[in-house]
Amino acid sequence: DAKTTQPPSMDCAEGRAANLPCNHSTISGNEYVYWYRQIHSQGPQYIIHGLKNNETNEMASLIITEDRKSSTLILPHATLRDTAVYYCIVTGAAGNKLTFGGGTRVLVKP
Amino acid sequence: GAVVSQHPSWVICKSGTSVKIECRSLDFQATTMFWYRQFPKQSLMLMATSNEGSKATYEQGVEKDKFLINHASLTLSTLTVTSAHPEDSSFYICSASFNSPLHFGNGTRLTVT
């Protein structure tokens, strides 16, 4: 699976959009981009995934660049409950084991 | 959505004893489940892949005789930490999938005294 690079931490203001970047320059054509988050002392929670098209669900939007070498997770209106570690993961098969990197520790401030 | 349940959510045991952690897929059948371990302020590390009806596949460096995995049915996998020692104290998390994506349990915090 391709390696991902994320900033270690970022702050954002409550009510504003949070844009979380992820680089995956070695991604191959059949690999998906998955996003999970982990709130303190809980298991990871699935957020969204995509292959090459932009995706949106009730939690977030995923923007994947045309060359697929990077992506951005957008939380449209961050709340205090969105404070968590966000993981960007690239994997080749649906339901396959996931390899977690360091993630981005997001702190939403009032 | 898919729900994965882990039990217990926390456990304290004495050094040298064994502890069993259960992972259940509540509303789907999972032929494959995964077990992860997470130390404080670190990321999740995959320990093993649990396959229903066959032996688990362990990641490099994980002792299969210490971390016994049983996946006897399509909805239940168990991880037994045998002869636990304080260095086994960690947050253990299971996951399972039906199609996509992978869903995670809420973890079990093990403290060995």
Side-chain angles (χ1 to χ4, degrees):
Chain A
D1 294 340
K3 181 177 167 56
T4 63
T5 302
Q6 297 177 254
S9 65
M10 63 183 294
D11 295 345
C12 66
E14 186 180 19
R16 304 295 294 269
N19 297 304
L20 283 62
C22 179
N23 285 324
H24 31 79
S25 58
T26 60
I27 192 171
S28 59
N30 63 344
E31 289 184 313
Y32 289 77
V33 180
Y34 281 80
W35 283 84
Y36 283 79
R37 72 180 182 185
Q38 186 178 26
I39 296 170
H40 183 62
S41 294
Q42 296 183 24
Q45 177 189 22
Y46 166 78
I47 302 173
I48 200 167
H49 75 282
L51 183 63
K52 55 183 179 180
N53 296 324
N54 297 337
E55 303 287 346
T56 295
N57 62 20
E58 65 279 3
M59 289 183 70
S61 295
L62 174 60
I63 308 297
I64 302 175
T65 58
E66 193 168 340
D67 63 8
R68 304 209 319 125
K69 293 185 176 182
S70 65
S71 60
T72 301
L73 178 75
I74 301 172
L75 307 178
H77 304 285
T79 71
L80 299 180
R81 287 176 293 182
D82 292 323
T83 290
V85 179
Y86 287 76
Y87 296 98
C88 168
I89 302 168
V90 170
T91 186
N96 198 15
K97 63 183 179 183
L98 300 178
T99 301
F100 287 79
T104 297
R105 188 170 298 273
V106 174
L107 176 62
V108 180
K109 295 182 174 179
Chain B
V3 178
V4 176
S5 174
Q6 250 182 275
H7 179 80
S9 55
W10 60 270
V11 58
I12 301 172
C13 71
K14 291 182 184 281
S15 188
T17 62
S18 296
V19 173
K20 179 185 284 188
I21 302 169
E22 293 187 347
C23 178
R24 295 181 185 272
S25 55
L26 296 186
D27 53 358
F28 64 99
Q29 294 182 329
T31 54
T32 302
M33 292 185 178
F34 304 95
W35 286 95
Y36 291 81
R37 179 168 56 180
Q38 185 176 34
F39 292 108
K41 298 193 185 301
Q42 295 186 22
S43 190
L44 285 79
M45 295 295 296
L46 179 67
M47 298 176 66
T49 301
S50 168
N51 300 298
E52 186 266 338
S54 64
K55 290 183 179 181
T57 303
Y58 291 82
E59 296 298 303
Q60 192 171 7
V62 178
E63 300 175 56
K64 61 182 170 85
D65 294 330
K66 181 168 184 62
F67 299 99
L68 302 180
I69 291 173
N70 184 281
H71 193 157
S73 78
L74 288 172
T75 59
L76 174 64
S77 175
T78 60
L79 168 68
T80 301
V81 183
T82 63
S83 186
H85 291 285
E87 57 265 31
D88 297 323
S89 297
S90 189
F91 192 49
Y92 292 86
I93 308 168
C94 73
S95 64
S97 75
F98 175 68
N99 293 329
S100 173
L102 211 56
H103 290 275
F104 289 81
N106 260 338
T108 297
R109 184 157 308 279
L110 170 64
T111 302
V112 185
T113 61

